[in-house]
Amino acid sequence: MIGVISQVLTYVVPFLLVLTLVVTVHELGHFLTARAFGVKMDRFSIGFGRAIFRRTDKHGVEWRLGWLPLGGYVKFSGDLDATGVPDRAGLEALRKAVTAEHGPGAERDYLYFKPLWQRALVVAGGPFANFVLAIFIFTLLFSLVGVELRPARVMEVQPQSPAAQAGFLPGDLITHVNGKLISDGGEVTRVVALSSGDPVRFTVERGDQAVQLTATPERRVETDRIAGRVTVGRIGLALGSNRNEIRHVRYGPVAAVGQGVRETGAILNTTLTYIGRIFTGRESGDQFSGPLGIAKASGALTNAAVAANPEPWAIVRNLLLTLTSFAAILSVGIGFLNLMPIPVLDGGHLLFYAYEAVARRPMAARVQEAGYRVGLALLAGLMLFATWNDLQKLNLFKFLGGLVS
């Protein structure tokens, strides 16, 4: 029993805390943008199912906490169906119902009668808030905590590896990758990991010379203590830094914001690069993770934070830093996911609005409904695929097979 409680505290609680923060900020993005345009709303909910807390404010909005904390939503007054984008007939019916109950002009408080650009901004407000949250967290970390910059010094070259064939030598200092200036070894690892099969250009400092080298990363299957089993590109280098090369940098407010934007952009770029490689057949997509993978990662990060220093205040500090960093990364992922042009997501609504802007009328109800069904199927398929990946990386199939046998 104690073991079960320990597992819940390690994996489930951190996961729910981080997810709730990210989802709440996402929904607040929708809510605050809609409030700025005077949109009438009925409910702001974090979680689904039966309410364990609810309160109605002076604007008539019900603030609600559901017992299943795995998402959230904002319910706009006049929502007609699950697509949230009524067609011309639905709009006219809604207009008649609103004016009959509240009088002429009352419909202007409803989202669907707002100008198209305002509706688009309300929809985009959720993903935008996720990106702002990530930038805000990274800015705090860069300014208050700082970061250790460890130059990419080559400590070891594996024999017969792509790095050895390219001509890398111990002691080389990598200064540029694909023409981009490198200040930390982690940047080298990030590029190489997503470049298996593609030549990568390096500039290394060797003595007083700048040497140009090219190596093509090989695909390797490794076990990561946070992500589980992963397939990444490697060239066979062990990177490190001499003690006198390591710098601890804390940025000023303006510079920290810039670093926060760059870090958020780097995560987005990595995501887009990975997805692009999937579509071109250079990646299998086995790195996609669902709730199980996210919970596993949050639990592993929690364990690492606790193990770093047994002192109570150090544990609290490390947990706070680790989980807020994880929240920033997850927030970027959720913001990006919601911008995908799938009808059940924010990107799908923006797609419908783009059609309306061009055609000067909402998309037909039957087309919206078909798009919604296809989008729901795509999203369900993506979640099943991600869960399958999680189960394989966590070796649960082997565990279950052992139980059956």
Side-chain angles (χ1 to χ4, degrees):
M1 185 63 181
I2 295 177
V4 173
I5 295 175
S6 175
Q7 292 295 312
V8 169
L9 291 176
T10 301
Y11 290 92
V12 178
V13 173
F15 165 64
L16 292 180
L17 287 174
V18 170
L19 183 64
T20 300
L21 170 64
V22 173
V23 169
T24 300
V25 169
H26 179 93
E27 298 305 330
L28 278 174
H30 292 307
F31 181 87
L32 294 176
T33 308
R35 175 63 59 83
F37 294 134
V39 175
K40 186 176 176 60
M41 292 167 282
D42 295 334
R43 179 181 298 158
F44 181 98
S45 178
I46 297 300
F48 299 98
R50 185 182 298 275
I52 58 177
F53 169 82
R54 67 174 71 189
R55 184 181 70 84
T56 301
D57 64 19
K58 63 180 181 180
H59 299 286
V61 178
E62 178 192 33
W63 294 78
R64 177 188 180 104
L65 182 64
W67 70 270
L68 186 61
L70 292 176
Y73 62 92
V74 176
K75 185 179 184 301
F76 298 102
S77 299
D79 277 351
L80 298 180
D81 55 32
T83 64
V85 187
D87 64 352
R88 181 172 291 176
L91 284 172
E92 188 57 35
L94 176 60
R95 186 192 305 273
K96 289 180 179 179
V98 172
T99 55
E101 182 176 356
H102 301 289
E107 75 277 4
R108 289 195 291 269
D109 293 334
Y110 287 67
L111 176 65
Y112 308 108
F113 299 104
K114 294 291 183 180
L116 183 60
W117 67 272
Q118 291 187 7
R119 285 180 275 149
L121 286 179
V122 169
V123 170
F128 178 75
N130 282 131
F131 299 140
V132 171
L133 173 64
I135 293 171
F136 175 74
I137 290 175
F138 286 134
T139 297
L140 286 181
L141 293 176
F142 283 127
S143 60
L144 299 181
V145 180
V147 61
E148 276 195 349
L149 298 179
R150 297 173 175 267
R153 177 76 65 181
V154 176
M155 310 303 287
E156 180 183 348
V157 181
Q158 295 177 3
Q160 308 303 317
S161 67
Q165 295 171 10
F168 277 95
L169 297 176
D172 285 347
L173 177 65
I174 300 175
T175 59
H176 295 76
V177 176
N178 288 333
K180 180 184 176 183
L181 181 66
I182 296 299
S183 59
D184 184 80
E187 299 176 74
V188 178
T189 302
R190 180 155 46 185
V191 173
V192 170
L194 282 176
S195 301
S196 56
D198 295 336
V200 179
R201 295 176 290 107
F202 300 88
T203 300
V204 303
E205 185 181 287
R206 183 177 296 167
D208 57 356
Q209 292 184 322
V211 180
Q212 307 296 321
L213 303 173
T214 301
T216 301
E218 300 173 332
R219 291 174 65 88
R220 295 184 184 177
V221 178
E222 300 178 353
T223 299
D224 183 86
R225 65 188 181 93
I226 303 298
R229 192 168 70 251
V230 296
T231 304
V232 294
R234 291 286 186 258
I235 60 174
L237 285 182
L239 298 179
S241 301
N242 297 325
R243 185 182 299 272
N244 61 341
E245 294 178 320
I246 300 174
R247 294 183 299 131
H248 185 88
V249 179
R250 288 169 67 176
Y251 296 90
V254 176
V257 172
Q259 287 295 119
V261 172
R262 278 189 283 273
E263 187 67 23
T264 301
I267 296 171
L268 276 173
N269 182 64
T270 299
T271 303
L272 287 169
T273 300
Y274 184 67
I275 292 176
R277 288 175 62 84
I278 291 174
F279 280 106
T280 56
R282 290 176 291 175
E283 296 288 348
S284 63
D286 60 355
Q287 303 311 308
F288 274 122
S289 289
L292 284 176
I294 297 172
K296 190 266 180 186
S298 63
L301 288 169
T302 299
N303 283 328
V306 171
N309 192 322
E311 295 295 327
W313 284 112
I315 290 177
V316 172
R317 176 183 178 274
N318 290 337
L319 278 175
L320 184 62
L321 293 176
T322 300
L323 294 181
T324 51
S325 299
F326 185 57
I329 297 171
L330 182 62
S331 190
V332 175
I334 288 181
F336 173 80
L337 175 65
N338 273 276
L339 284 177
M340 294 181 68
I342 299 175
V344 292
L345 300 175
D346 295 329
H349 290 283
L350 292 174
L351 187 65
F352 286 145
Y353 287 155
Y355 172 88
E356 184 178 343
V358 174
R360 303 289 183 180
R361 67 179 185 276
M363 192 174 288
R366 65 180 183 278
V367 179
Q368 292 184 50
E369 183 178 356
Y372 175 78
R373 293 180 184 278
V374 171
L376 190 61
L378 286 173
L379 190 60
L382 182 62
M383 290 302 298
L384 285 173
F385 178 66
T387 302
W388 176 270
N389 285 340
D390 292 339
L391 291 173
Q392 290 188 316
K393 285 188 286 187
L394 295 173
N395 291 321
L396 289 185
F397 290 121
K398 180 178 180 180
F399 171 72
L400 293 174
L403 289 180
V404 173
S405 61

